[in-house]
Amino acid sequence: MLTITTCKTYPSAPQNLIPVQTQLSNQGIPTQFLPWQETLQSQFILPLAAWDYANFYNEFTQWIKQHKNAFINPAELMLWNSHKGYLCDLQKLGVNVIPTIICSTKTSEILTALERQDWPEFVIKPAVGQSGNLVTKLKQGEVLPDLSAYGEQVVLQPFIPEVATNGETSLIFFNGVFSHAIRRQPPQNEWRANSQYKVEIIPVEVDVGCTDAFHPPCEIVLTMVAFVALEMVYEIVFVPPALRIAISVLSKVMENLLFSPLGIIICVLLVS
C-alpha cells in the first residue's frame, strides 16, 4: 500500500491529488490518503500534503526519522529542507538566492542583524513555516510583530518588490528533464505568492535552453516536501517499484494540472 499524506488539520485528500490516486490504482498500486500522524503501518509514503507540519514540528521530525525507510528521499535531506536554514547553506554553496539571515526571536538580536543590512524594507517569517503564515513585510525602524508565535528562529530577508508585480516562476523537472513552468502571481496590492492570499497559478513559457542553468553543482539532494521555488525530481539508483511508478504518474498528472492553487510541490536541488 502506498500512502499519500495529508494531515490531521486538513485530513481530506486535496482535489489535485485525486487523479494521482486514480492513475496509481489503474496501474495496480493501491493508494490511500492518511494524515501523516496516522501512517504508522505504511510501507511506502509520499509526504505531499503534510500542511500542518510547522505547528507540530518536533513530532514531524520524529515522524520522518521513524519512517526513514518508507520515503524515496533521505530522511536527512527532508529534515534539512524542513527548516529555512537550508537557504543559508545554499548561499554558502554559491547558489543565487535572496539574501537570508537566520536568527533567534530575541528582539535585540533581530534589530542588531537588521542594522548591519542596507534594506529599506524587509520580510520576517518563521524559520519553520509554510503557506505564507506569519510572513510580514516591514520598513526599517517599524515595530516588529509579536514574535511569540514565530517559534525559536526567524528568517530575515530584503523585500523584493518584483515579486508583487512579476510573481514567482517555478520550473518543474521530472527525472532531470524539464517538464513545464508556472508562475504564482499575487493579486493586486498583495506580494505573498501563497494560496491563502489568492495567488493565481498561471502556465508560462520559458526558454528550454536556459533550464540547464538551474542545476546547482553539488551531491544529490532531493525532497518531496514542499518548500523551494526551483522544483526538480531526480531518480535515485534504487527506488521501490511503487514509488517509481508514483513518480512517473506524478510527472504525467501534474503536467496537466499545472499545480492548482491547492498545489503540491515536488522539490529539489541537485548536487554533483
Side-chain angles (χ1 to χ4, degrees), residues 38 48 87 103 140 174 232:
E38 299 176 6
L48 297 181
L87 292 168
C103 60
Q140 282 281 9
F174 290 103
M232 307 176 186

Side-chain angles (χ1 to χ4, degrees), residues 191-224:
W191 52 275
R192 288 162 291 197
N194 302 100
S195 298
Q196 70 168 311
Y197 300 110
K198 304 187 185 303
V199 68
E200 184 179 5
I201 310 297
I202 306 169
V204 294
E205 296 291 333
V206 298
D207 181 358
V208 178
C210 77
T211 58
D212 290 340
F214 293 95
H215 291 198
C218 312
E219 305 139 359
I220 285 189
V221 183
L222 288 153
T223 180
M224 284 186 134

Side-chain angles (χ1 to χ4, degrees), residues 1-4 21 24-25 28-34 39 41-46 70 242-243:
M1 176 70 72
L2 174 67
T3 297
I4 300 176
Q21 181 187 39
L24 287 170
S25 297
I29 303 296
T31 305
Q32 65 179 348
F33 291 95
L34 274 181
T39 57
Q41 304 303 317
S42 298
Q43 185 178 8
F44 304 118
I45 301 174
L46 291 177
L243 291 179

Side-chain angles (χ1 to χ4, degrees), residues 16-245:
N16 61 352
L17 288 181
I18 299 299
V20 177
Q21 181 187 39
T22 300
Q23 290 293 328
L24 287 170
S25 297
N26 290 342
Q27 295 195 39
I29 303 296
T31 305
Q32 65 179 348
F33 291 95
L34 274 181
W36 60 268
Q37 297 94 331
E38 299 176 6
T39 57
L40 296 179
Q41 304 303 317
S42 298
Q43 185 178 8
F44 304 118
I45 301 174
L46 291 177
L48 297 181
W51 301 128
D52 64 0
Y53 77 92
N55 296 328
F56 305 95
Y57 188 58
N58 290 336
E59 294 88 340
F60 183 69
T61 55
Q62 287 302 312
W63 175 78
I64 290 176
K65 295 173 184 177
Q66 290 168 6
H67 294 81
K68 62 182 181 180
N69 295 324
F71 304 119
I72 190 173
N73 298 311
E76 293 79 8
L77 169 68
M78 297 172 67
L79 293 169
W80 173 74
N81 198 201
S82 69
H83 184 287
K84 290 180 173 58
Y86 74 82
L87 292 168
C88 296
D89 294 333
L90 294 180
Q91 284 181 150
K92 294 174 183 176
L93 289 170
V95 179
N96 187 16
V97 299
I98 295 174
T100 301
I101 298 172
I102 302 288
C103 60
S104 76
T105 51
K106 293 181 179 179
T107 300
S108 58
E109 184 175 336
I110 294 172
L111 294 178
T112 297
L114 290 171
E115 287 173 359
R116 297 170 181 165
Q117 310 302 319
D118 184 22
W119 298 344
E121 291 184 289
F122 66 95
V123 172
I124 183 170
K125 64 184 79 172
V128 175
Q130 83 290 332
S131 304
N133 293 327
L134 298 174
V135 177
T136 304
K137 179 181 67 173
L138 295 169
K139 294 181 179 179
Q140 282 281 9
E142 285 189 320
V143 177
L144 296 175
D146 179 2
L147 299 172
S148 60
Y150 279 66
E152 297 180 0
Q153 293 182 309
V154 295
V155 173
L156 302 174
Q157 296 174 317
F159 174 62
I160 308 298
E162 288 80 7
V163 171
T165 54
N166 300 336
E168 297 178 358
T169 298
S170 298
L171 307 180
I172 294 85
F173 292 73
F174 290 103
N175 293 329
V177 178
F178 175 71
S179 171
H180 58 282
I182 58 104
R183 184 169 77 246
R184 301 176 65 85
Q185 183 64 53
Q188 189 173 6
N189 300 321
E190 182 55 69
W191 52 275
R192 288 162 291 197
N194 302 100
S195 298
Q196 70 168 311
Y197 300 110
K198 304 187 185 303
V199 68
E200 184 179 5
I201 310 297
I202 306 169
V204 294
E205 296 291 333
V206 298
D207 181 358
V208 178
C210 77
T211 58
D212 290 340
F214 293 95
H215 291 198
C218 312
E219 305 139 359
I220 285 189
V221 183
L222 288 153
T223 180
M224 284 186 134
V225 204
F227 311 112
V228 196
L230 176 62
E231 293 130 16
M232 307 176 186
V233 173
Y234 285 88
E235 189 173 14
I236 17 187
V237 176
F238 172 75
V239 180
L243 291 179
R244 186 180 296 279
I245 293 174

